[in-house]
């Protein structure tokens, strides 16, 4: 003997499934929003943090992205250097008599975070100690 659900029970299952999937999508979207202060800032330190990527094309064309970073004078800024290249890299900032650096060796796929605070406005250089052609500009305003 078969029992038949009354009131359209067969329509309830797809609706509940859709609601559950919607809740899951919202939960995942909320969980993925943690690093916004570092990403997509175009090389300007927003919220006291900036990310610079070191990259290369199979060991050639070593470069920083972005290659120009702007930070405010007198404020401590957290720089995350992320090596997305195939060779070891690092990021070494020279600002007058002051020097700041990521870890000496940042392996491919790794990151290094360091603090920079330059009190004097100006234009300074950063570079990779392993690749002399890999340079960028730090603008302190």
């Amino acid at each position: 003997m078969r029992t038949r659900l009354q009131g359209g029970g067969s329509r309830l299952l797809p609706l509940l499934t859709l609601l559950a999937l919607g809740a899951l999508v919202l939960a995942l979207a909320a969980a993925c929003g943690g690093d916004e202060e570092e990403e997509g800032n175009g090389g300007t330190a927003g919220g006291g943090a900036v990310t610079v990527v070191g990259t290369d094309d199979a060991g050639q064309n070593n470069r920083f992205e972005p290659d120009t970073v702007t930070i405010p004078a007198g404020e401590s800024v957290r720089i995350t250097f992320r090596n997305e290249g195939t060779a070891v890299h690092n990021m070494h900032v020279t600002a007058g008599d002051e020097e700041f650096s990521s870890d000496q060796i940042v392996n491919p796929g790794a990151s290094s975070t360091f603090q920079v605070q330059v009190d004097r406005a100006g234009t300074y250089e950063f570079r990779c100690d392993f690749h002399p052609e890999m340079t960028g500009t730090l603008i302190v305003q």
Side-chain angles (χ1 to χ4, degrees):
M1 174 189 254
R2 281 188 154 166
T3 306
R4 187 169 178 182
L5 294 174
Q6 298 209 355
S10 62
R11 292 185 206 154
L12 187 58
L13 184 59
L15 179 61
L16 289 175
T17 302
L18 184 61
L19 287 173
L21 284 173
L24 179 63
V25 167
L26 288 174
L28 288 173
C32 291
D35 289 330
E36 289 180 25
E37 73 179 55
E38 292 186 24
E39 299 297 330
N41 55 24
T44 301
V50 65
T51 296
V52 177
V53 174
T55 189
D56 57 73
D57 301 319
Q60 303 295 313
N61 195 21
N62 300 300
R63 62 193 178 279
F64 290 104
E65 294 176 359
D67 63 357
T68 301
V69 175
T70 303
I71 65 171
E75 292 185 29
S76 182
V77 174
R78 185 180 76 231
I79 296 179
T80 299
F81 173 70
R82 190 171 63 227
N83 184 355
E84 293 183 359
T86 59
V88 297
H89 294 294
N90 70 1
M91 183 176 177
H92 188 144
V93 178
T94 303
D97 294 336
E98 299 178 274
E99 293 191 21
F100 309 91
S101 185
S102 66
D103 292 339
Q104 179 60 33
I105 295 175
V106 182
N107 288 311
S111 295
S112 176
T113 300
F114 59 105
Q115 294 292 125
V116 173
Q117 181 174 338
V118 181
D119 295 324
R120 191 175 189 175
T123 300
Y124 305 100
E125 180 187 73
F126 56 88
R127 69 184 180 284
C128 173
D129 293 327
F130 301 102
H131 306 99
E133 76 283 1
M134 187 174 171
T135 62
T137 303
L138 177 72
I139 299 171
V140 180
Q141 298 180 330

